[in-house]
Amino acid sequence: MTAGSRIVAMGHYQPSRVVTNDDLAAVVDTNDAWIRDRVGIAERRIADSESVADMATFAAEKALASSGLTAADIDMVIVATCSSVDRCPNVATRVAARLGVAAPAAFDLNTACSGFSYGLATADHAMRAGAARNAIVIGAEKLSDLVDWTDRSTAVLFGDGAGAAVVTAVADGEEVGVGPVLWGSAPEKGDVLRIEGWRPYIQQEGQSVFRWATTALAPFALQACERAGVKPEELAAFVPHQANTRIIDGIVKRLGLSPDVVVAKDLVESGNTSAASMPLALSKLIERREVPSGAPVLLFGFGGGLTYAGQVIRCP
């Protein structure tokens, strides 16, 4: 058993094709000003040939290359996704095979937009129990496969991409870098965001999701800080699920975060990428050196189910 875990490296991948709001306005009854005002998105990346497994692998390769570890060191691969069209083999085993990881515990999990925090917590728990030493935790989505491009209420929201973290066990006496998770769900409201059936499209009751997110979630985010022993004013950055700038701003206000806290808003250029959104945004912040190494960062995911999860990490 170990004291816990820490993230040692991040990586991300996005497809090259950019779809702007003006591009969508040529297809559905919408416009750039309406989309920016309602959700804050300017553009999103859409995959053509890349699969969920492809994007997950590219992000994981980048993270692994930055970690100082090799594929031989990895003994767990977790992929958070709600959009993979293949049920078996799972995405995690495909990623492991492409990376050359031998005999890892490898599984996918689906809690939609909170998936990365669920995956990170699961890897952390495995390390605390002595069941893993080094893990790759990935959020990867190809939501463009599931979008009805004639439905302006959902077509403007979603994008494709992947983000990955290399997580390693921390010995007793060393500083833990992944704080205790606060996770849960509101299953009685689960049908307000759906991807159902054999030929599914994303369906969402936007106002219901918005009300829930802006009223219910800030107290849970505060509990995640409390469990880590970190006060909101001590945070260097806040990386929420990238759903909507108005939702993000509402949570920031209720948390009482100072203007000095870096708040990730990657959705402006990436859209809502569900389980990929938090690792994608965090990887970019780290790549741009916007958050110091070792600084406390609050991750908080929320979405379909309705599930939520968050933890305070130390920036790698």
Side-chain angles (χ1 to χ4, degrees), residues 277-293:
S277 77
M278 287 194 298
L280 187 59
L282 178 60
S283 180
K284 289 183 180 181
L285 290 182
I286 293 168
E287 187 173 74
R288 295 193 296 257
R289 301 186 184 279
E290 294 185 27
V291 185
S293 178

Side-chain angles (χ1 to χ4, degrees), residues 56-304:
T57 301
F58 298 149
E61 285 174 336
K62 191 173 178 180
L64 188 59
S66 300
S67 70
L69 301 175
T70 69
D73 298 310
I74 304 299
D75 52 15
M76 175 174 281
V77 179
I78 301 173
V79 176
T81 186
C82 65
S83 59
S84 175
V85 297
D86 298 326
R87 290 166 174 78
C88 184
N90 63 21
V91 179
T93 54
R94 285 179 165 162
V95 172
R98 295 180 190 183
L99 294 178
V101 178
F107 57 93
D108 297 354
L109 60 81
N110 175 9
T111 61
C113 308
S114 63
F116 181 74
S117 275
Y118 268 79
L120 183 59
T122 301
D124 177 64
H125 296 165
M127 290 175 190
R128 290 176 184 270
R133 296 174 297 110
N134 300 297
I136 300 178
V137 180
I138 307 163
E141 301 284 14
K142 190 177 181 181
L143 295 169
S144 60
D145 279 346
L146 308 174
V147 170
D148 178 355
W149 294 102
T150 66
D151 176 8
R152 76 167 187 170
S153 67
T154 55
V156 303
L157 299 177
F158 299 103
D160 302 333
V166 175
V167 185
T168 191
V170 171
D172 287 332
E174 297 181 4
E175 184 178 22
V176 171
V178 176
V181 69
L182 181 287
W183 54 12
S185 63
E188 70 281 2
K189 296 181 174 69
D191 62 355
V192 300
L193 203 167
R194 305 177 301 281
I195 306 173
E196 297 176 329
W198 288 104
R199 299 177 66 86
Y201 286 132
I202 298 171
Q203 300 175 42
Q204 177 175 272
E205 296 174 21
Q207 286 301 313
S208 297
V209 174
F210 183 85
R211 285 193 296 270
W212 173 74
T214 53
T215 59
L217 296 181
F220 299 137
L222 284 172
Q223 288 182 51
C225 291
E226 290 169 3
R227 292 189 178 191
V230 174
K231 297 177 181 178
E233 57 266 29
E234 296 173 329
L235 293 171
F238 175 43
V239 182
H241 166 50
Q242 303 290 293
N244 181 313
T245 52
R246 292 195 294 162
I247 290 174
I248 293 172
D249 291 342
I251 296 174
V252 167
K253 183 177 180 180
R254 296 195 68 188
L255 291 176
L257 299 183
S258 81
D260 296 331
V261 176
V262 176
V263 178
K265 291 188 178 179
D266 182 56
L267 80 165
V268 175
E269 62 182 39
S270 300
N272 179 343
T273 56
S274 191
S277 77
M278 287 194 298
L280 187 59
L282 178 60
S283 180
K284 289 183 180 181
L285 290 182
I286 293 168
E287 187 173 74
R288 295 193 296 257
R289 301 186 184 279
E290 294 185 27
V291 185
S293 178
V297 177
L298 173 61
L299 307 180
F300 195 79
F302 53 90

